[in-house]
Amino acid sequence: MRPPSELPQAVAPVDAEQAEAALVEHYPRLVRIGYLLLPPSPGRTRRVFAAHALAQRSLQAAHRAGAATVPRPRRTGDADPAYTYVRRQVLRRALAAGRPRRLPFWPRRAALPPVLPSAWGLRLLPHPGGAGELALERELAALTAPARAAFVLRGLEGLADGEVRRELAAAGVADPHAALTEADGVRASHALLVSPEFDPCSLQARPPDLPGRRRRARTALAAGAALLVCGALLGLPGGGWGRGGLTAPPYARNPASEAALDPGALRRVPATYWRRSARTDFTSWPTRGDRTQDTRLLRRALAVWARPGAGVRTSATPGTPTGPPMGAPQLLYAGEVGDSAVVLFHDGLRVVRYAEPRNADPALGAALDFARVDGADEGSSGALVVARTGEGVRYLTAPWVREARVRDLRAPDRSPRPLDRSPDGVTGPLADPAAGPGCRSWEAVELTGGSSERLVTDLGELAPARLTSGAPGSPHDVTGRAERESWARTACLLRAVRSHGVRSVNSWAYARQPLPEDGGTARWLCTRAETWRGAGSRVIAEFQAPSARPATTGAVAARGEDAPECGARTPRVLAGVLWQSPGGRWYVLAAGSGQFASLATSGGVTGSAPGRLLAVPAAEGARPRLEGRLKDGSRVAALH
């Protein structure tokens, strides 16, 4: 409940003629109040015209009602009711101009440039003041609109705090007391409010940006001419805005654009083409699915791809363009998967997945997913995600995949289990490896084709990432117990590269280090995630200390993005950690790849060692700097 000092005053009738007379008599003062209350952001010229517009609009309510109601003065000597009414209208409109917009694209009327008054070809500015006025302008700009109003009503109108609270409450301010408290922080004097700096009725004229105005005029003239030409062309017969056509065509009239929307022009690959194809990638995938002849489904999928509406959920891997097809794409799959109808396209650069409810109910929306797959080879084109639901992830496997099995990376000793597939190559549901809390398991798919077994995993995108092991430049598929044990301790770090457009992830065990105090032998690994777009690769240096549990996740020693380490261009890495021995003592441990001749540390922990391994006693919480010298004599910093 508001205190009595904040309650609106009693009202007495005042007609529009009285309000108009008060406006004419006190016009300069009312315009000054509006100028001081308006936000400073539009600029001084805009504020001048806006302040005049606020004062002139204050009569609209009185004229609309025929007879306005204004506050009755509380005691003899107060301003007359008509002036109080007009001042309150100016105050209310100025405060409305400073409030946040309700919608980002819908400004308030008071924030718009006024239609009247206006001046063409001139900039009208108040006369400049001195340093005191400049300081006051800056302090007022930092206040909220209610606080500016409180300061002006105090200093310019001479109102007591109770009257100020009453006027602010009548103007719609929720917390007048807070506005007064904020206004108390202004250090400038109230006397500066009557300065010519804040008088929008005493102005000086200046020319605008004349060269800029000429450029804008030429641009507007050219745009108008172009609009007239386009209107004339669209009015011609043939499906434009002329007779017989209500909308413009969604595409320009050219064969490639029209073929992109024609289901009959889709490129369909025969079932056995991959056996004789010169390339083993997505271009040799056959067209599969039980709805490949459903013209309506295919037409909807192509139309949504070209012009997705508001009801379409769209996603894309980083760096993937989401524009319409550049021509008739290849149809990979069209069929029903679970409760959805799914269509997969390939246009040479991207794989595009369209999914809608099986009953094609437009109220349930649709999904459109994009993923880059340019430069794919046999190893990276073995499967695509065809559906991701609450049951799990389903893949569409390549035609050369003879068998699909599920292998838990976190259980290296466990045998893989078979993964059922339909005759079209769609697998049964597989649990999302990153779903749920913790990281107790990480299921990957082992694809057997030809003489190779490739391991792929879902990283939240259409194309699963291929997992490999080995030195940079010569990675190979994950085979053997040692590599599976290494991946068992690395799998949970794959969360850091999800939804990043990753094409492949290679884990390289680049060093083994005997630990001090007979702590066993640790392994150093560098895991590098390469992307389809080339840029944005991520590198993780990992320290795997001996553990009683073989699947214990290693410690992250360093990370890097767009770093060349562990790649074919820079096949080396150096990283270090602060490690505590079983006896409780701390050491700085570091290891480099085979190119390093010596290592050294500084910055609170000083030490060096020949070769590519380093172990130096340190204090808990130490943050040393690590560097190494290569065999050719050059110095290299550690991965951070």
Side-chain angles (χ1 to χ4, degrees), residues 83-460:
Y83 172 71
T84 304
Y85 169 75
V86 177
R87 183 183 64 193
R88 186 171 293 175
Q89 296 300 317
V90 172
L91 179 64
R92 181 180 292 114
R93 286 168 170 79
L95 290 174
R99 294 193 189 107
R101 293 175 294 177
R102 287 162 289 186
L103 293 173
F105 53 83
W106 193 262
R108 298 179 181 273
R109 181 185 178 186
L112 294 172
V115 178
L116 291 174
S118 61
W120 288 77
L122 286 176
R123 295 173 61 241
L124 300 180
L125 307 170
H127 292 280
E133 286 84 350
L134 180 60
L136 175 59
E137 176 78 8
R138 289 175 178 172
E139 288 194 81
L140 291 178
L143 297 177
T144 61
R148 282 198 301 271
F151 184 82
V152 172
L153 291 176
R154 271 177 172 172
L156 192 63
E157 294 292 278
L159 300 183
D161 285 359
E163 295 169 321
V164 171
R165 286 194 292 269
R166 186 179 300 109
E167 289 298 311
L168 293 179
V173 175
D175 192 351
H177 181 75
L180 278 168
T181 302
E182 186 179 354
D184 290 337
V186 180
R187 296 187 298 271
S189 171
H190 287 149
L192 295 174
L193 293 173
V194 298
S195 168
E197 168 83 13
F198 308 114
D199 185 4
C201 293
S202 178
L203 303 172
Q204 56 181 346
R206 292 290 184 270
D209 181 9
L210 297 179
R213 187 172 66 181
R214 286 195 298 270
R215 288 194 298 269
R216 289 191 292 272
R218 289 195 296 266
T219 303
L221 183 62
L227 184 61
L228 290 175
V229 172
C230 292
L233 292 176
L234 290 172
L236 295 175
W241 286 344
R243 182 177 300 175
L246 298 180
T247 60
Y251 271 84
R253 295 290 189 179
N254 66 76
S257 299
E258 293 181 349
L261 296 177
D262 181 12
L266 289 171
R267 190 165 67 89
R268 301 169 184 262
V269 177
T272 59
Y273 174 74
W274 64 274
R275 300 182 184 275
R276 63 181 187 277
S277 173
R279 297 169 55 179
T280 308
D281 55 17
F282 292 111
T283 61
S284 60
W285 274 35
T287 300
R288 290 173 286 178
D290 55 3
R291 298 185 66 174
T292 57
Q293 302 303 321
D294 190 339
T295 304
R296 293 183 178 180
L297 171 64
L298 298 178
R299 181 175 286 111
R300 284 196 301 271
L302 290 169
V304 170
W305 181 3
R307 303 174 69 186
V312 180
R313 301 179 299 276
T314 303
S315 69
T317 60
T320 304
T322 58
M326 296 169 286
Q330 176 187 352
L331 177 61
L332 299 179
Y333 180 83
E336 295 183 355
V337 182
D339 295 332
S340 301
V342 179
V343 183
L344 286 176
F345 299 108
H346 177 240
D347 68 351
L349 172 68
R350 303 165 292 179
V351 167
V352 181
R353 175 184 175 270
Y354 170 81
E356 67 176 24
R358 182 182 292 185
N359 60 1
D361 183 0
L364 299 178
L368 190 65
D369 304 310
F370 297 85
R372 284 187 65 167
V373 292
D374 48 318
D377 54 15
E378 183 179 358
S380 54
S381 61
L384 290 172
V385 173
V386 71
R388 183 177 281 117
T389 64
E391 295 179 344
V393 181
R394 295 177 185 265
Y395 296 91
L396 176 67
T397 57
W400 53 82
V401 173
R402 300 193 315 272
E403 184 182 9
R405 297 183 296 179
V406 180
R407 182 179 288 277
D408 186 357
L409 297 181
R410 300 280 288 161
D413 296 330
R414 188 181 304 166
S415 300
R417 70 176 189 272
L419 181 60
D420 295 334
R421 292 191 301 161
S422 70
D424 288 331
V426 177
T427 70
L430 186 68
D432 185 348
C439 185
R440 291 187 295 271
S441 66
W442 192 285
E443 293 187 339
V445 180
E446 197 173 67
L447 303 175
T448 302
S451 59
S452 62
E453 291 183 351
R454 294 188 172 90
L455 202 60
V456 299
T457 189
D458 174 39
L459 292 181

Side-chain angles (χ1 to χ4, degrees), residues 467-523:
L467 305 181
T468 59
S469 295
S474 58
H476 56 266
D477 292 305
V478 180
T479 58
R481 180 181 178 85
E483 292 176 354
R484 291 196 181 99
E485 289 180 351
S486 174
W487 265 108
R489 305 188 63 178
T490 305
C492 293
L493 299 181
L494 292 172
R495 291 175 180 265
V497 297
R498 279 180 60 85
S499 303
H500 195 62
V502 173
R503 174 176 182 164
S504 63
V505 185
N506 182 62
S507 183
W508 171 35
Y510 67 90
R512 296 175 67 88
Q513 182 176 23
L515 298 177
E517 303 180 20
D518 296 328
T521 301
R523 288 188 295 183

